[in-house]
Amino acid sequence: MKRYDLVVIGAGSGGFAAARVATGYGKKVALIDKGPFGGLCILKGCMPSKTLLRSSELAHLAGTSKALGVAVHGLTLDYPGIISRKNKIIKGFIDYRWEEVRSNPRIAFIEGAAQFRSPGEVQVGAKVIQGDRFVISTGSSLFIPPIPGLRETGFITSDEALERIDLPRSLAVLGGGAVALELGQHFSRMGVKVSIFERRNSLLSREDGDIGLALAGYLREEGMEVYTNVVFERISADGTLKQVEARVDGRPICFKAEEILVATGRQAALEKLNLEAAGVAYTPKGVVVNEEMRTTASSIFAAGDATGIYPLTHVAVYQGEIAGHNAFSHVKRKAAYRLVPQIIFTDPTFAKVGMTEREAKEKGLEVIVAAYPFDDLGKAICTGQTKGYVKMLADAGSGEILGVHLLGPEGASLIYGMNVAMRFRATVHQLLEIPYFHPALSEIFTYPAEEIARKLSHPIHKEAD
């Protein structure tokens, strides 16, 4: 029986971050993982999907570049080669992470599934591991909706979609969130006939409705079919095809595809942990934690998807670092989520930081909202990147920027300027005092800021170029 200063259950992004921080305090850490080693982001999430998206992006650019005077003839797709490249890249990430663990003398890696025996010990196979502190970072598992006939008919999830080397002729995608839209667009650009089925009234239903409506329009322009307000009734096999029976806005439809991709979200992976023995409370969404990432058991913390707060890698790392710090420091850190950036790598990209209009209304805040389209921005026009727009929310009294939403090109890079501005609680007036390079895509933020400023009591007028 071995005892450690910290026992971390789960070696993904959040768990590794907690372990790394704890070793910085000179602590001895047991890092337990049931495998395969690497965590969701590296193995089945962020990194493999973005690797594939780059290939489909290039294929799309080659197929549409004639409008810019560059015609590409004889374009061929080597899809097994695309998957092989992805596998090689992912192996590099896994090897790098393993070397970080292996080379740290304060981390003992233990492979196996952990189960609590008490608040101070877990069992891994025949081993009993004791710890002064614990961090639960077991990630999430796929959620499969209870649609009649789905399991009997068969389907693939994002796990299989990222691995298969053959392309179906047609694909029905169940879901309207990040994974469904990213992979749906990827396969469409690879030549697959793709149809999206979302049960809510818009894509990206957690965002303001205008975002999902606009994105659906762009996906349809690329040849994808998008259905919202879907009520699934049954899924069945019809020869070599799979049949989706549903109602869309109350109207019955029957859709057939060669394959079905289920991308309806994930849920906290807490099964078999025996959290009751540790005195750790949890809900269907995840482990209950406070701002210090501490659970209902004072010596046990949690981080990442296991908490159900934000299923995002950068949030998992953030929470893991806080958990590793608070486990041993007398000066406590508290998690705050006002400035969590969210990005979906569709084309156009969706990126946001801060509140939605819906959230502002729910909080009873009076805000001024302004938007500006990319098709009226000089740099976007020059480069042919005119899809989408930027929307900004500001406090109706002070002009403080409360939220920025971007549907357009280079969103993953552009949004961070607004993240910094909001970190320092900048107002639209202060934003307009910053000189923006011209021509640049980042200039677009000045236009909704200017409109909001005009509506406030202290208007600012930009000088003409």
Side-chain angles (χ1 to χ4, degrees):
M1 186 181 298
K2 291 187 177 181
R3 188 173 191 90
Y4 297 86
D5 299 310
L6 178 67
V7 176
V8 179
I9 306 173
S13 299
F16 178 71
R20 176 175 48 78
V21 170
T23 62
Y25 284 104
K27 304 302 180 181
K28 186 69 175 176
V29 178
L31 184 59
I32 304 171
D33 194 272
K34 65 180 180 179
F37 178 81
L40 174 63
C41 177
I42 292 177
L43 295 175
K44 302 291 184 182
C46 327
M47 309 314 285
S49 64
K50 304 312 170 281
T51 305
L52 297 187
L53 289 179
R54 177 57 173 165
S55 295
S56 54
E57 178 189 29
L58 291 177
H60 179 72
L61 290 173
T64 58
S65 61
K66 187 176 180 179
L68 278 70
V70 181
V72 178
H73 302 287
L75 178 68
T76 59
L77 299 176
D78 175 14
Y79 203 72
I82 290 172
I83 297 298
S84 176
R85 172 180 177 269
K86 183 268 298 180
N87 290 341
K88 182 178 179 180
I89 289 172
I90 297 310
K91 183 180 183 303
F93 290 139
I94 295 170
D95 291 346
Y96 181 82
R97 174 61 57 82
W98 173 247
E99 181 59 23
E100 286 186 290
V101 172
R102 187 199 65 78
S103 62
N104 192 324
R106 296 188 178 278
I107 296 179
F109 181 77
I110 301 170
E111 185 173 3
Q115 186 177 67
F116 279 99
R117 289 163 44 115
S118 72
E121 60 184 14
V122 295
Q123 184 152 358
V124 183
K127 299 178 181 178
V128 175
I129 310 296
Q130 294 184 331
D132 296 331
R133 302 285 188 275
F134 288 78
V135 173
I136 300 167
S137 189
T138 47
S140 59
S141 57
L142 293 159
F143 170 73
I144 308 302
I147 302 173
L150 176 61
R151 292 185 183 274
E152 295 82 356
T153 304
F155 58 90
I156 62 172
T157 67
S158 57
D159 288 0
E160 293 81 32
L162 294 169
E163 299 297 332
R164 62 184 295 164
I165 61 174
D166 62 315
L167 290 168
R169 290 187 296 272
S170 54
L171 182 68
V173 181
L174 310 189
V179 174
L181 301 184
E182 289 181 0
L183 289 181
Q185 189 174 43
H186 164 73
F187 282 114
S188 177
R189 290 179 167 186
M190 291 286 101
V192 178
K193 178 177 172 55
V194 173
S195 300
I196 303 283
F197 296 87
E198 164 57 40
R199 64 185 181 88
R200 296 181 179 88
N201 61 7
S202 69
L203 302 181
L204 305 181
S205 59
R206 294 182 180 180
E207 311 305 329
D208 289 329
D210 58 293
I211 296 291
L213 185 64
L215 183 55
Y218 293 129
L219 296 179
R220 290 185 178 112
E221 287 177 7
E222 288 193 17
M224 297 171 62
E225 295 179 337
V226 179
Y227 301 95
T228 56
N229 285 318
V230 176
V231 177
F232 296 104
E233 295 187 337
R234 182 169 182 80
I235 292 175
S236 59
D238 184 6
T240 60
L241 300 178
K242 299 176 180 181
Q243 180 172 276
V244 179
E245 297 175 56
R247 289 185 175 273
V248 178
D249 292 324
R251 296 178 291 102
I253 66 165
C254 183
F255 182 86
K256 297 179 182 181
E258 188 174 298
E259 189 55 273
I260 294 173
L261 169 60
V262 175
T264 48
R266 303 184 69 89
Q267 56 192 359
L270 305 177
E271 63 277 5
K272 298 182 180 179
L273 281 175
N274 195 23
L275 295 177
E276 292 82 0
V280 173
Y282 62 97
T283 71
K285 292 184 177 180
V287 175
V288 177
V289 294
N290 63 13
E291 293 175 320
E292 297 178 1
M293 305 314 300
R294 194 186 304 269
T295 71
T296 50
S298 62
S299 62
I300 302 176
F301 299 77
D305 288 7
T307 68
I309 295 175
Y310 276 106
L312 301 167
T313 298
H314 54 289
V315 174
V317 172
Y318 172 67
Q319 292 176 336
E321 290 175 343
I322 291 175
H325 170 87
N326 288 341
F328 301 105
S329 175
H330 294 297
V331 180
K332 304 303 181 184
R333 290 179 57 189
K334 293 184 178 182
Y337 304 103
R338 183 177 70 90
L339 299 176
V340 173
Q342 298 186 53
I343 300 165
I344 298 174
F345 290 86
T346 48
D347 179 13
T349 306
F350 171 67
K352 84 160 188 181
V353 61
M355 294 183 190
T356 63
E357 290 184 67
R358 181 192 312 162
E359 289 167 341
K361 183 177 181 180
E362 290 172 353
K363 292 177 181 292
L365 299 176
E366 186 178 351
V367 297
I368 299 175
V369 181
Y372 196 83
F374 276 97
D375 66 8
D376 199 35
L377 184 72
K379 180 62 180 290
I381 294 170
C382 292
T383 57
Q385 298 174 290
T386 55
K387 293 180 180 178
Y389 59 96
V390 160
K391 181 171 71 172
M392 185 177 291
L393 288 71
D395 183 89
S398 66
E400 179 185 343
I401 301 168
L402 300 179
V404 179
H405 308 243
L406 183 153
L407 185 66
E410 309 296 338
S413 299
L414 292 177
I415 198 65
Y416 278 95
M418 297 301 99
N419 206 356
V420 173
M422 290 178 59
R423 165 65 179 82
F424 295 100
R425 297 193 176 275
T427 66
V428 291
H429 303 91
Q430 291 168 328
L431 187 69
L432 291 170
E433 292 172 358
I434 301 171
Y436 279 76
F437 189 85
H438 174 78
L441 293 175
S442 58
E443 286 181 286
I444 195 167
F445 296 115
T446 66
Y447 292 95
E450 183 183 44
E451 182 179 338
I452 292 171
R454 281 198 299 265
K455 294 177 179 179
L456 291 166
S457 57
H458 306 290
I460 286 183
H461 301 284
K462 291 171 61 179
E463 295 183 2
D465 292 335

